[in-house]
CSV table of all heavy atoms in Angstrom, one decimal:
chain,number,residue,atom,x,y,z
A,148,GLY,N,-4.5,-45.4,33.4
A,148,GLY,CA,-4.8,-46.8,33.2
A,148,GLY,C,-5.6,-47.0,31.9
A,148,GLY,O,-6.1,-48.1,31.7
A,149,GLU,N,-5.5,-46.1,30.9
A,149,GLU,CA,-6.3,-46.2,29.7
A,149,GLU,C,-5.4,-46.2,28.5
A,149,GLU,O,-4.3,-45.6,28.5
A,149,GLU,CB,-7.2,-44.9,29.6
A,149,GLU,CG,-8.1,-44.9,28.4
A,149,GLU,CD,-8.9,-43.5,28.3
A,149,GLU,OE1,-8.2,-42.5,28.2
A,149,GLU,OE2,-10.1,-43.6,28.3
A,150,ALA,N,-5.8,-47.0,27.5
A,150,ALA,CA,-5.0,-47.0,26.2
A,150,ALA,C,-5.1,-45.6,25.6
A,150,ALA,O,-6.1,-44.9,25.8
A,150,ALA,CB,-5.6,-48.1,25.3
A,151,PRO,N,-4.1,-45.2,24.8
A,151,PRO,CA,-4.1,-43.9,24.2
A,151,PRO,C,-5.0,-43.8,23.0
A,151,PRO,O,-5.3,-44.8,22.3
A,151,PRO,CB,-2.7,-43.7,23.8
A,151,PRO,CG,-2.2,-45.1,23.5
A,151,PRO,CD,-2.9,-46.0,24.5
A,152,GLY,N,-5.4,-42.5,22.7
A,152,GLY,CA,-6.0,-42.2,21.4
A,152,GLY,C,-4.9,-42.0,20.4
A,152,GLY,O,-3.7,-42.2,20.6
A,153,THR,N,-5.3,-41.5,19.2
A,153,THR,CA,-4.4,-41.2,18.1
A,153,THR,C,-4.2,-39.7,18.1
A,153,THR,O,-5.2,-38.9,18.1
A,153,THR,CB,-4.9,-41.7,16.8
A,153,THR,OG1,-5.0,-43.1,16.8
A,153,THR,CG2,-4.0,-41.2,15.7
A,154,LEU,N,-2.9,-39.2,18.0
A,154,LEU,CA,-2.6,-37.8,18.0
A,154,LEU,C,-1.5,-37.6,16.9
A,154,LEU,O,-0.5,-38.2,16.9
A,154,LEU,CB,-2.0,-37.4,19.4
A,154,LEU,CG,-1.5,-35.9,19.4
A,154,LEU,CD1,-2.6,-34.9,19.2
A,154,LEU,CD2,-0.8,-35.7,20.8
A,155,ALA,N,-1.8,-36.6,16.1
A,155,ALA,CA,-0.8,-36.2,15.1
A,155,ALA,C,-0.7,-34.6,15.3
A,155,ALA,O,-1.7,-33.9,15.2
A,155,ALA,CB,-1.2,-36.5,13.7
A,156,THR,N,0.6,-34.2,15.5
A,156,THR,CA,0.8,-32.7,15.7
A,156,THR,C,1.8,-32.2,14.7
A,156,THR,O,2.7,-32.9,14.3
A,156,THR,CB,1.3,-32.5,17.1
A,156,THR,OG1,2.6,-32.9,17.3
A,156,THR,CG2,0.4,-33.1,18.2
A,157,ARG,N,1.7,-30.9,14.4
A,157,ARG,CA,2.7,-30.2,13.7
A,157,ARG,C,2.9,-28.9,14.3
A,157,ARG,O,2.0,-28.1,14.5
A,157,ARG,CB,2.4,-30.1,12.2
A,157,ARG,CG,3.5,-29.4,11.4
A,157,ARG,CD,3.2,-29.5,9.9
A,157,ARG,NE,4.3,-28.9,9.1
A,157,ARG,CZ,4.4,-28.9,7.8
A,157,ARG,NH1,3.4,-29.4,7.1
A,157,ARG,NH2,5.4,-28.3,7.2
A,158,LEU,N,4.2,-28.5,14.6
A,158,LEU,CA,4.6,-27.2,15.1
A,158,LEU,C,5.5,-26.5,14.1
A,158,LEU,O,6.5,-27.1,13.7
A,158,LEU,CB,5.3,-27.4,16.4
A,158,LEU,CG,6.0,-26.1,17.0
A,158,LEU,CD1,4.9,-25.0,17.3
A,158,LEU,CD2,6.7,-26.5,18.3
A,159,THR,N,5.0,-25.4,13.6
A,159,THR,CA,5.8,-24.6,12.6
A,159,THR,C,6.1,-23.2,13.1
A,159,THR,O,5.1,-22.5,13.5
A,159,THR,CB,5.0,-24.5,11.3
A,159,THR,OG1,4.7,-25.8,10.8
A,159,THR,CG2,5.9,-23.9,10.2
A,160,VAL,N,7.3,-22.8,13.2
A,160,VAL,CA,7.7,-21.5,13.7
A,160,VAL,C,8.6,-20.8,12.7
A,160,VAL,O,9.6,-21.4,12.2
A,160,VAL,CB,8.5,-21.7,15.0
A,160,VAL,CG1,8.8,-20.3,15.6
A,160,VAL,CG2,7.7,-22.6,16.0
A,161,HIS,N,8.2,-19.6,12.4
A,161,HIS,CA,9.0,-18.7,11.6
A,161,HIS,C,9.4,-17.5,12.4
A,161,HIS,O,8.6,-16.9,13.1
A,161,HIS,CB,8.2,-18.2,10.3
A,161,HIS,CG,8.1,-19.3,9.3
A,161,HIS,ND1,7.1,-20.3,9.4
A,161,HIS,CD2,8.7,-19.5,8.1
A,161,HIS,CE1,7.2,-21.1,8.4
A,161,HIS,NE2,8.2,-20.7,7.6
A,162,ARG,N,10.7,-17.1,12.2
A,162,ARG,CA,11.2,-15.9,12.8
A,162,ARG,C,11.8,-15.0,11.7
A,162,ARG,O,12.6,-15.4,10.9
A,162,ARG,CB,12.3,-16.2,13.9
A,162,ARG,CG,12.9,-15.0,14.5
A,162,ARG,CD,13.9,-15.3,15.6
A,162,ARG,NE,14.5,-14.2,16.2
A,162,ARG,CZ,15.6,-13.5,15.8
A,162,ARG,NH1,16.2,-14.0,14.7
A,162,ARG,NH2,16.1,-12.5,16.4
A,163,ALA,N,11.3,-13.7,11.7
A,163,ALA,CA,11.7,-12.7,10.7
A,163,ALA,C,11.5,-13.3,9.3
A,163,ALA,O,12.3,-13.1,8.4
A,163,ALA,CB,13.2,-12.4,10.9
A,164,GLY,N,10.4,-14.1,9.1
A,164,GLY,CA,10.0,-14.6,7.9
A,164,GLY,C,10.8,-15.8,7.4
A,164,GLY,O,10.5,-16.4,6.4
A,165,ARG,N,11.7,-16.3,8.3
A,165,ARG,CA,12.5,-17.5,7.9
A,165,ARG,C,12.1,-18.7,8.8
A,165,ARG,O,11.8,-18.5,10.0
A,165,ARG,CB,14.0,-17.2,8.0
A,165,ARG,CG,14.4,-16.0,7.2
A,165,ARG,CD,15.9,-15.8,7.3
A,165,ARG,NE,16.7,-16.9,6.9
A,165,ARG,CZ,18.0,-16.9,6.9
A,165,ARG,NH1,18.7,-15.9,7.4
A,165,ARG,NH2,18.7,-18.0,6.5
A,166,PRO,N,12.2,-19.9,8.3
A,166,PRO,CA,11.9,-21.1,9.2
A,166,PRO,C,12.8,-21.2,10.4
A,166,PRO,O,14.0,-21.1,10.2
A,166,PRO,CB,12.0,-22.2,8.2
A,166,PRO,CG,11.9,-21.7,6.8
A,166,PRO,CD,12.5,-20.3,6.9
A,167,LEU,N,12.3,-21.4,11.5
A,167,LEU,CA,13.0,-21.7,12.7
A,167,LEU,C,12.9,-23.1,13.2
A,167,LEU,O,13.8,-23.8,13.6
A,167,LEU,CB,12.6,-20.7,13.8
A,167,LEU,CG,13.2,-21.0,15.2
A,167,LEU,CD1,14.7,-20.7,15.1
A,167,LEU,CD2,12.6,-20.1,16.3
A,168,LEU,N,11.6,-23.7,13.1
A,168,LEU,CA,11.4,-25.0,13.5
A,168,LEU,C,10.1,-25.5,12.8
A,168,LEU,O,9.1,-24.8,12.6
A,168,LEU,CB,11.1,-25.0,15.0
A,168,LEU,CG,10.8,-26.4,15.7
A,168,LEU,CD1,11.9,-27.4,15.6
A,168,LEU,CD2,10.3,-26.2,17.1
A,169,ASP,N,10.2,-26.8,12.3
A,169,ASP,CA,9.1,-27.4,11.6
A,169,ASP,C,9.1,-28.9,12.0
A,169,ASP,O,10.0,-29.6,11.6
A,169,ASP,CB,9.2,-27.2,10.1
A,169,ASP,CG,7.8,-27.6,9.4
A,169,ASP,OD1,7.0,-28.2,10.1
A,169,ASP,OD2,7.7,-27.3,8.3
A,170,GLN,N,8.2,-29.3,12.9
A,170,GLN,CA,8.3,-30.6,13.5
A,170,GLN,C,7.0,-31.3,13.5
A,170,GLN,O,5.9,-30.7,13.8
A,170,GLN,CB,8.8,-30.4,14.9
A,170,GLN,CG,8.9,-31.7,15.7
A,170,GLN,CD,9.5,-31.5,17.1
A,170,GLN,OE1,10.7,-31.5,17.2
A,170,GLN,NE2,8.7,-31.3,18.1
A,171,GLU,N,6.9,-32.5,13.1
A,171,GLU,CA,5.7,-33.3,13.2
A,171,GLU,C,5.9,-34.5,14.1
A,171,GLU,O,7.0,-35.2,14.1
A,171,GLU,CB,5.3,-33.8,11.8
A,171,GLU,CG,4.9,-32.7,10.8
A,171,GLU,CD,4.3,-33.2,9.6
A,171,GLU,OE1,3.1,-33.8,9.6
A,171,GLU,OE2,4.9,-33.1,8.5
A,172,LEU,N,4.9,-34.9,14.8
A,172,LEU,CA,4.9,-36.0,15.7
A,172,LEU,C,3.6,-36.8,15.6
A,172,LEU,O,2.5,-36.2,15.3
A,172,LEU,CB,5.0,-35.6,17.2
A,172,LEU,CG,6.3,-34.8,17.6
A,172,LEU,CD1,6.2,-34.2,19.0
A,172,LEU,CD2,7.5,-35.7,17.4
A,173,ALA,N,3.6,-38.1,15.7
A,173,ALA,CA,2.4,-38.9,15.7
A,173,ALA,C,2.5,-40.0,16.7
A,173,ALA,O,3.5,-40.7,16.7
A,173,ALA,CB,2.2,-39.4,14.2
A,174,PHE,N,1.4,-40.2,17.5
A,174,PHE,CA,1.4,-41.2,18.5
A,174,PHE,C,0.1,-41.9,18.4
A,174,PHE,O,-0.9,-41.4,18.0
A,174,PHE,CB,1.5,-40.6,19.9
A,174,PHE,CG,2.7,-39.7,20.1
A,174,PHE,CD1,2.6,-38.4,20.5
A,174,PHE,CD2,4.0,-40.1,19.8
A,174,PHE,CE1,3.6,-37.5,20.7
A,174,PHE,CE2,5.1,-39.3,20.0
A,174,PHE,CZ,4.9,-38.0,20.5
A,175,GLY,N,0.0,-43.1,19.0
A,175,GLY,CA,-1.3,-43.8,19.2
A,175,GLY,C,-1.5,-44.8,18.1
A,175,GLY,O,-0.7,-45.0,17.1
A,176,PRO,N,-2.6,-45.6,18.2
A,176,PRO,CA,-2.9,-46.7,17.3
A,176,PRO,C,-3.0,-46.3,15.8
A,176,PRO,O,-2.8,-47.2,14.9
A,176,PRO,CB,-4.2,-47.3,17.8
A,176,PRO,CG,-4.8,-46.2,18.6
A,176,PRO,CD,-3.7,-45.4,19.2
A,177,GLY,N,-3.3,-45.0,15.5
A,177,GLY,CA,-3.4,-44.6,14.1
A,177,GLY,C,-2.1,-44.1,13.5
A,177,GLY,O,-2.1,-43.7,12.4
A,178,ALA,N,-1.1,-44.0,14.3
A,178,ALA,CA,0.2,-43.5,13.9
A,178,ALA,C,1.0,-44.5,13.2
A,178,ALA,O,0.8,-45.7,13.3
A,178,ALA,CB,1.0,-42.9,15.1
A,179,PRO,N,2.0,-44.1,12.4
A,179,PRO,CA,2.9,-45.1,11.8
A,179,PRO,C,3.6,-46.0,12.8
A,179,PRO,O,3.8,-45.6,14.0
A,179,PRO,CB,4.0,-44.2,11.1
A,179,PRO,CG,3.3,-42.9,10.8
A,179,PRO,CD,2.4,-42.7,12.0
A,180,GLY,N,3.9,-47.2,12.4
A,180,GLY,CA,4.5,-48.2,13.3
A,180,GLY,C,5.8,-47.7,13.9
A,180,GLY,O,6.5,-46.9,13.3
A,181,GLY,N,6.0,-48.1,15.2
A,181,GLY,CA,7.3,-47.7,15.9
A,181,GLY,C,7.1,-46.6,16.8
A,181,GLY,O,8.1,-46.2,17.5
A,182,TRP,N,5.9,-46.0,16.9
A,182,TRP,CA,5.8,-44.8,17.7
A,182,TRP,C,6.0,-45.1,19.2
A,182,TRP,O,6.4,-44.2,19.9
A,182,TRP,CB,4.4,-44.2,17.5
A,182,TRP,CG,3.3,-45.1,18.0
A,182,TRP,CD1,2.6,-46.0,17.2
A,182,TRP,CD2,2.7,-45.2,19.3
A,182,TRP,NE1,1.7,-46.7,18.0
A,182,TRP,CE2,1.7,-46.2,19.2
A,182,TRP,CE3,2.9,-44.5,20.5
A,182,TRP,CZ2,0.9,-46.5,20.4
A,182,TRP,CZ3,2.1,-44.8,21.6
A,182,TRP,CH2,1.2,-45.8,21.5
A,183,ASP,N,5.8,-46.3,19.6
A,183,ASP,CA,6.0,-46.6,21.0
A,183,ASP,C,7.3,-47.4,21.3
A,183,ASP,O,7.6,-47.8,22.4
A,183,ASP,CB,4.8,-47.5,21.5
A,183,ASP,CG,4.6,-47.5,23.0
A,183,ASP,OD1,5.1,-46.5,23.6
A,183,ASP,OD2,4.1,-48.5,23.6
A,184,GLY,N,8.1,-47.4,20.2
A,184,GLY,CA,9.4,-48.1,20.4
A,184,GLY,C,10.5,-47.3,21.0
A,184,GLY,O,10.3,-46.1,21.3
A,185,GLY,N,11.7,-47.9,21.1
A,185,GLY,CA,12.8,-47.2,21.7
A,185,GLY,C,13.2,-45.9,20.9
A,185,GLY,O,13.8,-45.0,21.6
A,186,ALA,N,13.0,-45.8,19.6
A,186,ALA,CA,13.4,-44.6,18.9
A,186,ALA,C,12.4,-43.4,19.1
A,186,ALA,O,12.8,-42.3,18.7
A,186,ALA,CB,13.5,-45.0,17.4
A,187,VAL,N,11.3,-43.7,19.6
A,187,VAL,CA,10.3,-42.6,19.8
A,187,VAL,C,10.0,-42.4,21.3
A,187,VAL,O,10.6,-41.7,22.0
A,187,VAL,CB,9.0,-42.8,18.9
A,187,VAL,CG1,8.1,-41.6,19.0
A,187,VAL,CG2,9.4,-43.0,17.5
A,188,LEU,N,8.9,-43.1,21.8
A,188,LEU,CA,8.5,-42.9,23.2
A,188,LEU,C,9.2,-43.9,24.1
A,188,LEU,O,9.2,-43.6,25.3
A,188,LEU,CB,7.0,-43.0,23.3
A,188,LEU,CG,6.2,-41.9,22.6
A,188,LEU,CD1,4.7,-42.2,22.9
A,188,LEU,CD2,6.5,-40.6,23.2
A,189,GLY,N,9.6,-45.0,23.7
A,189,GLY,CA,10.2,-46.0,24.6
A,189,GLY,C,9.3,-46.4,25.7
A,189,GLY,O,9.8,-46.6,26.8
A,190,GLY,N,8.0,-46.5,25.5
A,190,GLY,CA,7.1,-47.0,26.5
A,190,GLY,C,6.6,-45.9,27.4
A,190,GLY,O,5.7,-46.1,28.2
A,191,HIS,N,7.1,-44.6,27.3
A,191,HIS,CA,6.5,-43.5,28.1
A,191,HIS,C,5.2,-43.1,27.5
A,191,HIS,O,4.8,-43.4,26.4
A,191,HIS,CB,7.5,-42.3,28.0
A,191,HIS,CG,8.8,-42.6,28.7
A,191,HIS,ND1,9.9,-43.2,28.1
A,191,HIS,CD2,9.2,-42.4,30.0
A,191,HIS,CE1,10.9,-43.3,29.0
A,191,HIS,NE2,10.4,-42.8,30.2
A,192,ARG,N,4.4,-42.4,28.4
A,192,ARG,CA,3.1,-42.0,28.0
A,192,ARG,C,2.9,-40.5,28.1
A,192,ARG,O,1.8,-40.0,27.9
A,192,ARG,CB,2.0,-42.7,28.9
A,192,ARG,CG,1.8,-44.1,28.5
A,192,ARG,CD,1.2,-44.2,27.1
A,192,ARG,NE,0.9,-45.5,26.6
A,192,ARG,CZ,1.8,-46.2,25.9
A,192,ARG,NH1,2.9,-45.6,25.5
A,192,ARG,NH2,1.5,-47.4,25.5
A,193,ALA,N,4.0,-39.7,28.4
A,193,ALA,CA,3.9,-38.3,28.4
A,193,ALA,C,5.1,-37.7,27.6
A,193,ALA,O,6.2,-38.2,27.8
A,193,ALA,CB,3.9,-37.7,29.8
A,194,ALA,N,4.8,-36.8,26.7
A,194,ALA,CA,5.9,-36.2,25.9
A,194,ALA,C,5.6,-34.7,25.8
A,194,ALA,O,4.5,-34.3,25.7
A,194,ALA,CB,5.9,-36.8,24.5
A,195,GLY,N,6.7,-33.9,25.8
A,195,GLY,CA,6.5,-32.5,25.7
A,195,GLY,C,7.8,-31.8,25.2
A,195,GLY,O,8.8,-32.4,25.1
A,196,GLN,N,7.6,-30.5,25.0
A,196,GLN,CA,8.7,-29.7,24.6
A,196,GLN,C,8.5,-28.3,25.1
A,196,GLN,O,7.4,-27.8,25.3
A,196,GLN,CB,8.9,-29.7,23.1
A,196,GLN,CG,7.7,-29.4,22.2
A,196,GLN,CD,8.0,-29.8,20.8
A,196,GLN,OE1,9.1,-30.2,20.4
A,196,GLN,NE2,7.0,-29.6,20.0
A,197,LEU,N,9.6,-27.6,25.2
A,197,LEU,CA,9.7,-26.2,25.6
A,197,LEU,C,10.5,-25.5,24.6
A,197,LEU,O,11.7,-25.8,24.4
A,197,LEU,CB,10.3,-26.1,27.0
A,197,LEU,CG,10.5,-24.6,27.5
A,197,LEU,CD1,9.2,-24.0,27.9
A,197,LEU,CD2,11.5,-24.6,28.7
A,198,LEU,N,10.0,-24.5,23.9
A,198,LEU,CA,10.7,-23.6,22.9
A,198,LEU,C,10.9,-22.2,23.5
A,198,LEU,O,9.9,-21.6,23.9
A,198,LEU,CB,9.9,-23.6,21.6
A,198,LEU,CG,10.5,-22.6,20.6
A,198,LEU,CD1,11.8,-23.1,20.1
A,198,LEU,CD2,9.5,-22.5,19.4
A,199,VAL,N,12.1,-21.8,23.6
A,199,VAL,CA,12.4,-20.4,24.0
A,199,VAL,C,13.1,-19.7,22.9
A,199,VAL,O,14.1,-20.1,22.3
A,199,VAL,CB,13.3,-20.4,25.3
A,199,VAL,CG1,13.7,-19.0,25.7
A,199,VAL,CG2,12.7,-21.2,26.4
A,200,VAL,N,12.5,-18.5,22.5
A,200,VAL,CA,13.1,-17.7,21.5
A,200,VAL,C,13.4,-16.3,22.1
A,200,VAL,O,12.4,-15.7,22.7
A,200,VAL,CB,12.2,-17.5,20.3
A,200,VAL,CG1,12.9,-16.6,19.2
A,200,VAL,CG2,11.8,-18.9,19.7
A,201,ASP,N,14.6,-15.9,22.2
A,201,ASP,CA,15.0,-14.7,22.9
A,201,ASP,C,16.2,-14.0,22.2
A,201,ASP,O,17.3,-14.7,22.2
A,201,ASP,CB,15.3,-15.0,24.4
A,201,ASP,CG,15.5,-13.8,25.2
A,201,ASP,OD1,15.6,-12.7,24.7
A,201,ASP,OD2,15.6,-14.0,26.4
A,202,PRO,N,16.1,-12.8,21.8
A,202,PRO,CA,17.3,-12.2,21.1
A,202,PRO,C,18.5,-12.2,22.0
A,202,PRO,O,19.7,-12.2,21.6
A,202,PRO,CB,16.8,-10.7,20.9
A,202,PRO,CG,15.3,-10.9,20.7
A,202,PRO,CD,14.9,-11.9,21.7
A,203,GLU,N,18.3,-12.2,23.4
A,203,GLU,CA,19.5,-12.2,24.3
A,203,GLU,C,20.3,-13.5,24.2
A,203,GLU,O,21.4,-13.5,24.6
A,203,GLU,CB,19.0,-11.9,25.7
A,203,GLU,CG,18.5,-10.5,25.9
A,203,GLU,CD,18.2,-10.2,27.4
A,203,GLU,OE1,18.5,-11.1,28.2
A,203,GLU,OE2,17.6,-9.2,27.6
Side-chain angles (χ1 to χ4, degrees):
E149 179 183 63
T153 297
L154 172 66
T156 72
R157 182 171 183 179
L158 170 62
T159 306
V160 185
H161 286 79
R162 179 179 180 270
R165 301 181 63 181
L167 176 64
L168 179 65
D169 193 345
Q170 177 174 277
E171 290 191 72
L172 300 170
F174 307 125
W182 64 270
D183 202 21
V187 186
L188 291 182
H191 291 89
R192 282 296 178 265
Q196 54 191 354
L197 174 74
L198 173 65
V199 176
V200 183
D201 185 353
E203 292 187 8

